[in-house]
Amino acid sequence: LPSSIVYEDDLILGFKDIEPQAPVHVLLIPKIHVSSLNDLGKEHGELIARLTSVIPQVAEKMGVKDSGYRVVVNCGEDGGQTVFHLHYHILGGRALENQFG
C-alpha cells in the first residue's frame, strides 16, 4: 500500500494511517514480523525499547509532543486488533476523549 513515511530506522517504520482517527495518526511498526503483544519475548527487548523511545521523536516531528498525544496498541480480536502485525498508534492534533480515566 502507498504510505507517507514519517520515521524509519533499521528496526522500525512509522507512517501516516490511511484511515486516520485524529488529525495526527501515525502507525509505528517493527520491520520484523511480530503478530501481537502476546508474541513478544525476551529476544524482542531491544525492539520494544527502540519502539518506545521513538514515540516521543515521532510526536515531536508531527507537532504534538507538547500538546499531548495518545499511544494505543490493540491486542487480539476483542482488543480491536484487525492487522496481525504489531503496531503502535500515535494519535493527536486535537483533544482526545478521555475514556480511560
Side-chain angles (χ1 to χ4, degrees):
L1 294 173
S3 61
S4 180
I5 295 172
V6 299
Y7 179 87
E8 185 171 14
D9 67 25
D10 57 325
L11 296 177
I12 300 167
L13 183 65
F15 53 91
K16 293 181 180 178
D17 194 296
I18 60 171
E19 294 183 23
Q21 303 298 305
V24 170
H25 189 166
V26 172
L27 299 178
L28 201 58
I29 68 168
K31 288 185 175 180
I32 64 166
H33 181 68
V34 178
S35 293
S36 77
L37 284 174
N38 289 337
D39 296 311
L40 291 172
K42 291 178 184 178
E43 70 274 17
H44 298 108
E46 178 186 353
L47 175 66
I48 295 307
R50 179 86 61 85
L51 277 164
T52 303
S53 69
V54 164
I55 291 168
Q57 294 175 43
V58 171
E60 183 171 33
K61 182 173 186 177
M62 300 305 295
V64 297
K65 184 177 179 185
D66 293 332
S67 60
Y69 55 95
R70 179 173 293 157
V71 179
V72 177
V73 181
N74 300 321
C75 186
E77 286 185 37
D78 286 353
Q81 186 176 8
T82 57
V83 174
F84 289 88
H85 184 97
L86 179 65
H87 57 285
Y88 289 34
H89 297 261
I90 302 170
L91 301 136
R94 66 171 167 80
L96 300 170
E97 297 169 8
N98 189 3
Q99 302 170 346
F100 305 106

Coordinates of all heavy atoms in Angstrom, one line a residue:
L1 N 0.8 -1.2 0.0 CA 0.0 0.0 0.0 C 0.9 1.3 0.0 O 1.9 1.3 0.6 CB -0.9 0.0 1.2 CG -2.0 -1.1 1.4 CD1 -2.6 -1.0 2.7 CD2 -3.0 -1.0 0.2
P2 N 0.4 2.3 -0.7 CA 1.2 3.5 -0.6 C 1.1 4.1 0.8 O 0.2 3.9 1.5 CB 0.4 4.4 -1.6 CG -0.9 3.8 -1.8 CD -0.8 2.4 -1.5
S3 N 2.2 4.7 1.2 CA 2.3 5.3 2.6 C 3.1 6.6 2.6 O 3.9 6.8 1.7 CB 2.9 4.3 3.5 OG 4.2 4.0 3.2
S4 N 2.8 7.3 3.6 CA 3.6 8.6 3.8 C 4.4 8.3 5.1 O 4.0 8.4 6.2 CB 2.6 9.7 4.1 OG 3.3 10.9 4.3
I5 N 5.7 8.0 4.8 CA 6.6 7.6 5.8 C 7.1 8.9 6.6 O 7.4 9.9 6.1 CB 7.9 6.9 5.3 CG1 7.5 5.6 4.6 CG2 8.9 6.7 6.3 CD1 8.5 4.9 3.8
V6 N 7.0 8.8 8.0 CA 7.4 9.9 8.8 C 8.6 9.5 9.7 O 9.2 10.4 10.3 CB 6.2 10.4 9.7 CG1 5.1 10.9 8.9 CG2 5.8 9.3 10.7
Y7 N 8.9 8.2 9.7 CA 10.1 7.8 10.5 C 10.6 6.4 10.0 O 9.8 5.6 9.6 CB 9.8 7.6 12.0 CG 11.0 7.1 12.8 CD1 11.9 8.1 13.3 CD2 11.2 5.8 13.0 CE1 13.0 7.6 14.0 CE2 12.4 5.4 13.7 CZ 13.2 6.3 14.2 OH 14.4 5.9 14.8
E8 N 11.9 6.2 9.9 CA 12.5 4.9 9.5 C 13.9 4.8 10.1 O 14.7 5.7 10.0 CB 12.5 4.8 8.0 CG 12.9 3.4 7.6 CD 12.7 3.1 6.1 OE1 12.5 4.0 5.3 OE2 12.8 1.9 5.8
D9 N 14.1 3.6 10.6 CA 15.5 3.2 11.0 C 15.6 1.7 10.7 O 14.8 1.2 10.0 CB 15.8 3.6 12.5 CG 15.1 2.8 13.5 OD1 14.6 1.7 13.2 OD2 14.9 3.3 14.6
D10 N 16.7 1.1 11.2 CA 16.9 -0.3 10.8 C 15.9 -1.3 11.4 O 15.7 -2.3 10.9 CB 18.3 -0.7 11.2 CG 18.6 -0.5 12.7 OD1 18.1 0.4 13.3 OD2 19.4 -1.4 13.2
L11 N 15.2 -0.9 12.5 CA 14.2 -1.8 13.1 C 12.8 -1.4 13.0 O 11.9 -2.2 13.1 CB 14.5 -1.9 14.6 CG 15.9 -2.5 15.0 CD1 16.0 -2.4 16.6 CD2 16.0 -3.9 14.6
I12 N 12.5 -0.1 12.7 CA 11.2 0.5 12.8 C 10.8 1.3 11.6 O 11.6 2.0 11.0 CB 11.1 1.4 14.0 CG1 11.4 0.5 15.3 CG2 9.7 2.0 14.2 CD1 11.7 1.4 16.5
L13 N 9.5 1.3 11.3 CA 8.9 2.1 10.2 C 7.7 2.8 10.8 O 6.9 2.2 11.5 CB 8.5 1.3 9.0 CG 8.0 2.0 7.8 CD1 9.0 2.9 7.2 CD2 7.4 1.0 6.8
G14 N 7.6 4.1 10.6 CA 6.5 4.9 11.0 C 5.9 5.6 9.8 O 6.6 6.2 9.0
F15 N 4.5 5.5 9.7 CA 3.9 6.1 8.5 C 2.5 6.6 8.9 O 1.9 6.1 9.9 CB 3.8 5.1 7.4 CG 3.2 3.8 7.7 CD1 1.9 3.5 7.6 CD2 4.0 2.8 8.2 CE1 1.3 2.3 7.9 CE2 3.5 1.5 8.5 CZ 2.2 1.3 8.3
K16 N 1.9 7.5 8.2 CA 0.6 8.0 8.5 C -0.5 6.9 8.2 O -0.4 6.2 7.2 CB 0.3 9.3 7.6 CG 1.2 10.4 8.0 CD 0.8 11.7 7.2 CE 1.7 12.8 7.6 NZ 1.5 14.0 6.7
D17 N -1.5 6.8 9.1 CA -2.5 5.9 8.9 C -3.4 6.3 7.7 O -3.7 7.5 7.5 CB -3.4 5.8 10.1 CG -4.3 4.6 10.2 OD1 -5.2 4.6 9.3 OD2 -4.2 3.8 11.1
I18 N -3.8 5.4 6.9 CA -4.6 5.7 5.7 C -6.1 6.0 6.0 O -6.8 6.5 5.2 CB -4.5 4.6 4.6 CG1 -5.0 3.3 5.1 CG2 -3.1 4.5 4.0 CD1 -5.2 2.2 4.0
E19 N -6.5 5.6 7.3 CA -7.8 5.9 7.8 C -7.7 6.6 9.1 O -8.0 6.0 10.2 CB -8.7 4.7 7.8 CG -9.0 4.1 6.5 CD -9.9 2.9 6.6 OE1 -10.7 2.7 7.6 OE2 -9.9 2.1 5.6
P20 N -7.2 7.8 9.2 CA -6.8 8.5 10.4 C -8.1 8.7 11.3 O -9.1 9.1 10.9 CB -6.2 9.8 10.0 CG -6.7 10.0 8.6 CD -6.9 8.7 8.0
Q21 N -7.9 8.5 12.6 CA -8.9 8.7 13.6 C -8.7 10.0 14.4 O -9.4 10.3 15.3 CB -8.9 7.5 14.6 CG -9.1 6.2 14.0 CD -10.4 6.1 13.2 OE1 -11.5 6.3 13.8 NE2 -10.4 5.8 12.0
A22 N -7.6 10.7 14.0 CA -7.3 12.0 14.6 C -6.5 12.8 13.6 O -6.0 12.2 12.6 CB -6.5 11.9 15.9
P23 N -6.4 14.1 13.7 CA -5.6 14.9 12.8 C -4.1 14.3 12.6 O -3.6 14.3 11.5 CB -5.5 16.3 13.3 CG -6.8 16.4 14.1 CD -7.0 15.0 14.7
V24 N -3.6 13.8 13.7 CA -2.3 13.1 13.6 C -2.6 11.7 14.0 O -3.1 11.4 15.1 CB -1.2 13.7 14.6 CG1 0.0 12.8 14.7 CG2 -0.9 15.1 14.2
H25 N -2.3 10.8 13.1 CA -2.4 9.3 13.3 C -1.3 8.6 12.6 O -1.4 8.4 11.4 CB -3.8 8.9 12.8 CG -4.1 7.5 13.3 ND1 -5.4 7.0 13.2 CD2 -3.4 6.5 13.8 CE1 -5.4 5.7 13.6 NE2 -4.2 5.4 14.0
V26 N -0.3 8.2 13.3 CA 0.8 7.5 12.8 C 0.9 6.1 13.3 O 0.6 5.9 14.5 CB 2.1 8.3 13.2 CG1 3.4 7.5 12.8 CG2 2.2 9.7 12.6
L27 N 1.2 5.2 12.5 CA 1.4 3.8 12.8 C 2.9 3.6 12.9 O 3.7 3.9 12.0 CB 0.8 2.8 11.8 CG -0.7 2.9 11.6 CD1 -1.1 2.0 10.6 CD2 -1.4 2.7 12.9
L28 N 3.4 3.0 14.0 CA 4.8 2.7 14.2 C 4.9 1.2 14.3 O 4.3 0.5 15.2 CB 5.2 3.3 15.6 CG 6.7 3.6 15.8 CD1 7.3 4.5 14.7 CD2 6.9 4.2 17.1
I29 N 5.6 0.6 13.4 CA 5.7 -0.9 13.3 C 7.1 -1.4 13.3 O 8.0 -0.7 12.8 CB 5.0 -1.4 12.1 CG1 5.7 -1.0 10.8 CG2 3.5 -0.9 12.0 CD1 5.3 -1.7 9.5
P30 N 7.4 -2.6 13.9 CA 8.7 -3.2 13.7 C 8.8 -3.7 12.3 O 7.9 -4.2 11.7 CB 8.7 -4.3 14.7 CG 7.2 -4.7 14.9 CD 6.5 -3.4 14.7
K31 N 10.0 -3.7 11.8 CA 10.3 -4.3 10.5 C 10.3 -5.8 10.4 O 10.0 -6.4 9.4 CB 11.6 -3.7 9.9 CG 11.5 -2.3 9.5 CD 12.8 -1.8 8.8 CE 12.6 -0.4 8.3 NZ 13.9 0.1 7.7
I32 N 10.6 -6.4 11.6 CA 10.4 -7.9 11.7 C 9.0 -8.2 12.0 O 8.3 -7.4 12.7 CB 11.4 -8.5 12.7 CG1 11.1 -8.0 14.1 CG2 12.8 -8.2 12.3 CD1 11.7 -8.9 15.2
H33 N 8.5 -9.4 11.6 CA 7.1 -9.7 11.9 C 7.0 -10.2 13.4 O 7.6 -11.2 13.8 CB 6.6 -10.8 11.0 CG 5.2 -11.2 11.2 ND1 4.2 -10.3 11.0 CD2 4.7 -12.3 11.8 CE1 3.0 -10.9 11.4 NE2 3.3 -12.1 11.9
V34 N 6.1 -9.5 14.1 CA 5.6 -10.0 15.4 C 4.1 -9.8 15.3 O 3.6 -8.7 15.0 CB 6.2 -9.1 16.5 CG1 5.6 -9.5 17.9 CG2 7.7 -9.1 16.5
S35 N 3.3 -10.8 15.5 CA 1.9 -10.8 15.3 C 1.2 -9.8 16.3 O 0.3 -9.0 15.9 CB 1.3 -12.1 15.4 OG 1.7 -12.9 14.3
S36 N 1.5 -9.9 17.5 CA 0.9 -9.0 18.5 C 1.7 -8.9 19.8 O 2.8 -9.6 19.9 CB -0.5 -9.6 18.9 OG -0.4 -10.7 19.8
L37 N 1.3 -8.1 20.7 CA 2.0 -8.1 22.0 C 2.2 -9.4 22.6 O 3.2 -9.7 23.3 CB 1.2 -7.2 23.0 CG 1.3 -5.7 22.8 CD1 0.3 -5.0 23.8 CD2 2.7 -5.2 23.0
N38 N 1.2 -10.3 22.4 CA 1.3 -11.7 23.0 C 2.4 -12.5 22.5 O 2.8 -13.5 23.1 CB 0.0 -12.4 22.7 CG -1.2 -11.9 23.6 OD1 -1.0 -11.3 24.6 ND2 -2.4 -12.1 23.1
D39 N 3.0 -12.1 21.4 CA 4.1 -12.9 20.8 C 5.5 -12.3 21.1 O 6.5 -12.8 20.6 CB 3.9 -12.9 19.3 CG 2.6 -13.7 18.9 OD1 2.4 -14.8 19.5 OD2 1.8 -13.2 18.1
L40 N 5.5 -11.3 22.0 CA 6.8 -10.7 22.4 C 7.5 -11.6 23.4 O 6.8 -12.1 24.3 CB 6.6 -9.3 22.9 CG 6.2 -8.2 21.9 CD1 5.9 -6.9 22.7 CD2 7.3 -8.0 20.9
G41 N 8.8 -11.7 23.2 CA 9.6 -12.5 24.2 C 10.8 -11.7 24.6 O 11.1 -10.6 24.1
K42 N 11.7 -12.3 25.4 CA 12.9 -11.7 25.8 C 13.8 -11.2 24.7 O 14.5 -10.2 24.7 CB 13.7 -12.6 26.7 CG 13.1 -12.9 28.1 CD 13.9 -13.8 28.9 CE 13.1 -14.1 30.2 NZ 13.9 -15.1 31.0
E43 N 13.7 -12.0 23.6 CA 14.5 -11.7 22.4 C 14.1 -10.4 21.7 O 14.8 -9.9 20.9 CB 14.5 -12.8 21.4 CG 13.2 -13.0 20.7 CD 12.2 -13.9 21.4 OE1 12.3 -14.1 22.7 OE2 11.2 -14.4 20.8
H44 N 12.9 -9.8 22.1 CA 12.5 -8.6 21.5 C 12.7 -7.4 22.4 O 12.2 -6.3 22.1 CB 10.9 -8.7 21.2 CG 10.6 -9.8 20.3 ND1 10.0 -10.9 20.7 CD2 10.8 -9.9 18.9 CE1 9.8 -11.7 19.6 NE2 10.3 -11.1 18.6
G45 N 13.5 -7.5 23.4 CA 13.8 -6.4 24.3 C 14.3 -5.1 23.6 O 13.8 -4.0 23.9
E46 N 15.3 -5.3 22.8 CA 15.9 -4.1 22.1 C 14.8 -3.5 21.2 O 14.7 -2.2 21.1 CB 17.1 -4.5 21.2 CG 17.7 -3.4 20.4 CD 18.8 -3.8 19.5 OE1 19.2 -4.9 19.5 OE2 19.2 -2.9 18.7
L47 N 14.0 -4.3 20.5 CA 13.0 -3.8 19.6 C 12.0 -2.9 20.4 O 11.6 -1.8 20.0 CB 12.3 -4.9 18.9 CG 11.1 -4.6 18.0 CD1 11.5 -3.7 16.9 CD2 10.4 -5.8 17.6
I48 N 11.5 -3.5 21.5 CA 10.5 -2.7 22.3 C 11.1 -1.5 22.9 O 10.4 -0.4 22.9 CB 9.9 -3.7 23.4 CG1 9.1 -4.8 22.7 CG2 9.0 -2.9 24.3 CD1 8.1 -4.4 21.7
A49 N 12.3 -1.5 23.3 CA 13.0 -0.3 23.9 C 13.0 0.7 22.8 O 12.8 1.9 23.0 CB 14.3 -0.6 24.4
R50 N 13.4 0.3 21.6 CA 13.5 1.3 20.5 C 12.2 1.8 20.1 O 12.0 3.0 19.9 CB 14.2 0.6 19.3 CG 14.3 1.5 18.0 CD 15.6 2.3 18.0 NE 16.8 1.5 18.0 CZ 17.4 1.0 16.9 NH1 16.9 1.2 15.7 NH2 18.5 0.3 17.1
L51 N 11.2 1.0 20.0 CA 9.8 1.5 19.6 C 9.4 2.5 20.7 O 8.9 3.6 20.3 CB 8.8 0.3 19.6 CG 8.7 -0.5 18.4 CD1 8.0 -1.8 18.7 CD2 8.0 0.2 17.3
T52 N 9.6 2.2 21.9 CA 9.1 3.1 23.0 C 9.9 4.5 22.9 O 9.3 5.5 23.1 CB 9.3 2.5 24.4 OG1 8.5 1.3 24.4 CG2 8.8 3.4 25.5
S53 N 11.2 4.4 22.7 CA 12.0 5.6 22.7 C 11.7 6.5 21.4 O 12.0 7.7 21.4 CB 13.5 5.3 22.8 OG 14.0 4.7 21.6
V54 N 11.2 5.9 20.3 CA 11.0 6.6 19.1 C 9.6 7.4 19.2 O 9.5 8.4 18.5 CB 11.0 5.6 17.9 CG1 10.3 6.2 16.7 CG2 12.4 5.2 17.6
I55 N 8.7 6.9 20.0 CA 7.4 7.5 20.1 C 7.5 9.0 20.3 O 6.9 9.8 19.6 CB 6.5 6.8 21.1 CG1 6.1 5.4 20.6 CG2 5.2 7.6 21.4 CD1 5.5 4.5 21.7
P56 N 8.2 9.5 21.3 CA 8.3 11.0 21.5 C 9.0 11.7 20.3 O 8.6 12.8 20.0 CB 9.1 11.2 22.8 CG 9.3 9.8 23.4 CD 8.9 8.8 22.4
Q57 N 9.9 11.0 19.7 CA 10.5 11.7 18.5 C 9.5 11.9 17.4 O 9.5 12.9 16.7 CB 11.6 10.8 18.0 CG 12.8 10.6 18.9 CD 13.8 9.6 18.3 OE1 14.1 9.6 17.2 NE2 14.3 8.8 19.2
V58 N 8.7 10.9 17.2 CA 7.6 11.0 16.1 C 6.6 12.0 16.5 O 6.2 12.8 15.7 CB 6.9 9.6 15.9 CG1 5.7 9.8 15.0 CG2 7.9 8.6 15.3
A59 N 6.2 12.0 17.8 CA 5.3 13.0 18.3 C 5.8 14.4 18.1 O 5.1 15.3 17.7 CB 4.9 12.8 19.8
E60 N 7.1 14.6 18.4 CA 7.7 16.0 18.1 C 7.7 16.3 16.6 O 7.3 17.4 16.3 CB 9.1 16.0 18.7 CG 9.8 17.4 18.5 CD 11.1 17.4 19.3 OE1 11.8 16.4 19.3 OE2 11.4 18.5 19.7
K61 N 8.1 15.4 15.8 CA 8.1 15.6 14.4 C 6.7 16.0 13.8 O 6.5 16.8 12.9 CB 8.6 14.4 13.6 CG 8.7 14.6 12.1 CD 9.4 13.4 11.5 CE 9.6 13.7 10.0 NZ 10.3 12.6 9.3
M62 N 5.6 15.4 14.4 CA 4.3 15.6 14.0 C 3.6 16.8 14.7 O 2.5 17.1 14.4 CB 3.4 14.3 14.2 CG 3.9 13.1 13.5 SD 4.1 13.3 11.7 CE 2.5 13.6 11.2
G63 N 4.4 17.4 15.6 CA 3.9 18.7 16.2 C 2.9 18.5 17.4 O 2.2 19.4 17.7
V64 N 2.9 17.3 18.0 CA 2.0 17.0 19.1 C 2.7 16.7 20.4 O 2.0 16.4 21.4 CB 1.0 15.9 18.8 CG1 0.1 16.4 17.6 CG2 1.7 14.6 18.5
K65 N 4.0 16.7 20.5 CA 4.7 16.4 21.7 C 4.3 17.2 22.9 O 4.1 16.7 24.0 CB 6.2 16.4 21.5 CG 7.0 15.9 22.7 CD 8.5 15.9 22.4 CE 9.3 15.5 23.6 NZ 10.7 15.6 23.4
D66 N 4.3 18.5 22.7 CA 4.0 19.4 23.8 C 2.5 19.5 24.1 O 2.1 19.6 25.3 CB 4.5 20.8 23.5 CG 6.0 20.8 23.5 OD1 6.7 20.0 24.2 OD2 6.6 21.7 22.8
S67 N 1.6 19.4 23.1 CA 0.2 19.5 23.4 C -0.4 18.2 23.9 O -1.4 18.2 24.6 CB -0.6 19.9 22.1 OG -0.4 18.9 21.1
G68 N 0.2 17.1 23.6 CA -0.2 15.8 24.1 C -0.7 14.8 23.0 O -1.1 15.3 21.9
Y69 N -0.5 13.6 23.2 CA -0.9 12.5 22.3 C -1.2 11.2 23.0 O -1.0 11.1 24.2 CB 0.2 12.3 21.3 CG 1.6 12.0 21.9 CD1 2.0 10.6 22.1 CD2 2.4 13.0 22.4 CE1 3.2 10.3 22.6 CE2 3.6 12.6 22.9 CZ 4.0 11.3 23.1 OH 5.2 11.0 23.7
R70 N -1.8 10.3 22.3 CA -2.2 9.0 22.9 C -1.5 7.9 22.1 O -1.3 8.0 20.9 CB -3.7 8.8 22.8 CG -4.2 7.5 23.3 CD -5.7 7.4 23.4 NE -6.1 8.3 24.4 CZ -7.4 8.8 24.4 NH1 -8.2 8.5 23.5 NH2 -7.7 9.7 25.3
V71 N -1.0 6.9 22.8 CA -0.4 5.7 22.2 C -1.3 4.5 22.5 O -1.6 4.3 23.6 CB 1.0 5.5 22.7 CG1 1.6 4.2 22.1 CG2 1.9 6.7 22.5
V72 N -1.7 3.8 21.4 CA -2.6 2.7 21.5 C -2.0 1.5 20.8 O -1.5 1.6 19.7 CB -4.0 3.0 20.9 CG1 -4.9 1.8 20.9 CG2 -4.6 4.2 21.5
V73 N -2.1 0.3 21.5 CA -1.7 -0.9 20.9 C -2.9 -1.9 21.1 O -3.3 -2.2 22.3 CB -0.5 -1.6 21.6 CG1 -0.1 -2.9 20.9 CG2 0.7 -0.6 21.5
N74 N -3.5 -2.3 20.1 CA -4.6 -3.3 20.2 C -4.0 -4.7 20.1 O -3.1 -4.9 19.4 CB -5.6 -3.1 19.0 CG -6.2 -1.7 18.9 OD1 -6.5 -1.1 20.0 ND2 -6.3 -1.1 17.8
C75 N -4.6 -5.6 20.9 CA -4.1 -6.9 21.0 C -5.3 -7.9 21.0 O -6.1 -7.9 21.9 CB -3.3 -7.1 22.3 SG -2.5 -8.7 22.4
G76 N -5.3 -8.7 19.9 CA -6.3 -9.7 19.7 C -7.6 -9.1 19.2 O -7.9 -7.9 19.2
E77 N -8.5 -10.0 18.8 CA -9.8 -9.6 18.2 C -10.6 -8.8 19.1 O -11.1 -7.7 18.8 CB -10.6 -10.8 17.7 CG -10.0 -11.4 16.4 CD -10.9 -12.5 15.9 OE1 -12.1 -12.4 15.9 OE2 -10.3 -13.5 15.3
D78 N -10.8 -9.2 20.4 CA -11.6 -8.5 21.3 C -11.0 -7.2 21.7 O -11.6 -6.2 22.2 CB -11.9 -9.3 22.6 CG -12.9 -10.4 22.4 OD1 -13.5 -10.5 21.3 OD2 -13.1 -11.2 23.3
G79 N -9.7 -7.0 21.5 CA -9.0 -5.8 21.8 C -9.0 -4.8 20.6 O -8.4 -3.8 20.7
G80 N -9.6 -5.2 19.5 CA -9.7 -4.4 18.4 C -8.6 -4.5 17.3 O -8.5 -3.8 16.4
Q81 N -7.8 -5.5 17.5 CA -6.7 -5.7 16.5 C -7.3 -6.3 15.2 O -7.9 -7.4 15.2 CB -5.6 -6.7 17.1 CG -4.4 -6.8 16.2 CD -3.3 -7.6 16.8 OE1 -3.5 -8.3 17.8 NE2 -2.1 -7.6 16.1
T82 N -7.0 -5.6 14.1 CA -7.5 -6.1 12.8 C -6.4 -6.5 11.9 O -6.6 -7.2 10.9 CB -8.4 -5.1 12.1 OG1 -7.7 -3.8 12.0 CG2 -9.7 -4.8 12.9
V83 N -5.2 -5.9 12.1 CA -4.0 -6.2 11.4 C -3.1 -7.0 12.3 O -2.7 -6.4 13.3 CB -3.3 -4.9 10.8 CG1 -2.0 -5.3 10.1 CG2 -4.3 -4.2 9.9
F84 N -2.7 -8.2 12.0 CA -1.9 -9.0 12.9 C -0.4 -8.9 12.6 O 0.2 -9.9 12.2 CB -2.5 -10.5 12.9 CG -3.8 -10.5 13.6 CD1 -5.0 -10.2 12.9 CD2 -3.9 -10.7 15.0 CE1 -6.2 -10.2 13.5 CE2 -5.1 -10.6 15.6 CZ -6.3 -10.4 14.9
H85 N 0.0 -7.7 12.8 CA 1.4 -7.3 12.8 C 1.5 -6.2 13.8 O 0.8 -5.2 13.7 CB 1.9 -6.8 11.4 CG 3.4 -6.5 11.4 ND1 4.3 -7.4 10.9 CD2 4.1 -5.4 11.8 CE1 5.5 -6.9 11.0 NE2 5.4 -5.7 11.6
L86 N 2.3 -6.4 14.9 CA 2.4 -5.5 16.0 C 2.5 -4.0 15.5 O 3.3 -3.8 14.6 CB 3.5 -5.8 16.9 CG 3.8 -4.9 18.1 CD1 2.6 -5.0 19.1 CD2 5.1 -5.2 18.8
H87 N 1.7 -3.1 16.0 CA 1.8 -1.7 15.6 C 1.3 -0.8 16.7 O 0.3 -1.2 17.4 CB 1.1 -1.4 14.2 CG -0.3 -1.8 14.2 ND1 -0.8 -3.1 14.1 CD2 -1.4 -1.0 14.2 CE1 -2.1 -3.1 14.1 NE2 -2.5 -1.8 14.2
Y88 N 1.9 0.3 16.8 CA 1.5 1.3 17.8 C 0.8 2.4 17.1 O 1.4 2.9 16.1 CB 2.7 1.9 18.5 CG 3.4 0.9 19.5 CD1 3.5 -0.4 19.3 CD2 4.0 1.4 20.7 CE1 4.1 -1.3 20.2 CE2 4.6 0.6 21.6 CZ 4.7 -0.8 21.3 OH 5.3 -1.6 22.2
H89 N -0.3 2.9 17.6 CA -1.0 4.0 17.0 C -0.5 5.3 17.8 O -0.6 5.2 19.1 CB -2.5 3.9 17.1 CG -3.1 2.8 16.4 ND1 -3.7 3.0 15.2 CD2 -3.2 1.5 16.7 CE1 -4.2 1.8 14.7 NE2 -3.9 0.9 15.7
I90 N -0.1 6.3 17.2 CA 0.2 7.6 17.8 C -0.8 8.6 17.3 O -0.9 8.9 16.1 CB 1.6 8.1 17.5 CG1 2.7 7.0 17.9 CG2 1.9 9.4 18.2 CD1 4.1 7.3 17.4
L91 N -1.7 9.0 18.3 CA -2.8 9.9 17.9 C -2.7 11.2 18.6 O -2.4 11.3 19.8 CB -4.1 9.2 18.3 CG -4.4 7.8 17.7 CD1 -4.9 6.9 18.7 CD2 -5.3 8.0 16.5
G92 N -3.0 12.3 17.9 CA -3.0 13.6 18.5 C -3.5 14.7 17.5 O -4.1 14.3 16.5
G93 N -3.3 15.9 17.8 CA -3.7 17.0 17.0 C -5.0 17.6 17.4 O -5.5 18.6 16.8
R94 N -5.7 17.1 18.4 CA -6.9 17.6 19.0 C -7.1 17.0 20.3 O -6.4 16.0 20.7 CB -8.1 17.3 18.1 CG -8.4 15.8 18.0 CD -9.8 15.6 17.3 NE -10.0 14.2 16.9 CZ -10.4 13.3 17.7 NH1 -10.6 13.5 19.0 NH2 -10.6 12.0 17.3
A95 N -8.0 17.6 21.1 CA -8.3 17.0 22.4 C -9.0 15.6 22.2 O -9.9 15.6 21.4 CB -9.2 17.9 23.2
L96 N -8.4 14.6 22.8 CA -9.0 13.2 22.6 C -9.9 12.9 23.8 O -9.7 13.4 24.9 CB -7.8 12.2 22.5 CG -6.9 12.4 21.4 CD1 -5.7 11.5 21.5 CD2 -7.5 12.2 20.0
E97 N -10.9 12.2 23.5 CA -11.9 11.8 24.5 C -11.2 11.0 25.6 O -10.3 10.2 25.4 CB -13.0 10.9 23.9 CG -13.8 11.6 22.9 CD -14.7 10.7 22.1 OE1 -14.8 9.5 22.5 OE2 -15.3 11.1 21.1
N98 N -11.5 11.3 26.9 CA -10.9 10.6 28.0 C -11.7 9.4 28.4 O -12.5 9.5 29.3 CB -10.7 11.6 29.2 CG -9.9 11.0 30.3 OD1 -9.3 9.9 30.1 ND2 -9.7 11.7 31.3
Q99 N -11.5 8.3 27.7 CA -12.3 7.1 28.0 C -11.6 6.2 29.0 O -12.2 5.2 29.4 CB -12.5 6.3 26.7 CG -13.2 7.1 25.6 CD -13.2 6.4 24.3 OE1 -12.5 5.5 24.1 NE2 -14.0 6.9 23.4
F100 N -10.4 6.5 29.4 CA -9.6 5.5 30.1 C -9.3 6.0 31.5 O -8.6 5.3 32.2 CB -8.3 5.3 29.4 CG -8.5 4.8 27.9 CD1 -8.3 5.7 26.9 CD2 -9.0 3.5 27.7 CE1 -8.5 5.2 25.6 CE2 -9.2 3.1 26.4 CZ -9.0 4.0 25.3
G101 N -9.7 7.1 31.9 CA -9.5 7.5 33.3 C -8.3 8.2 33.6 O -7.3 8.3 33.1

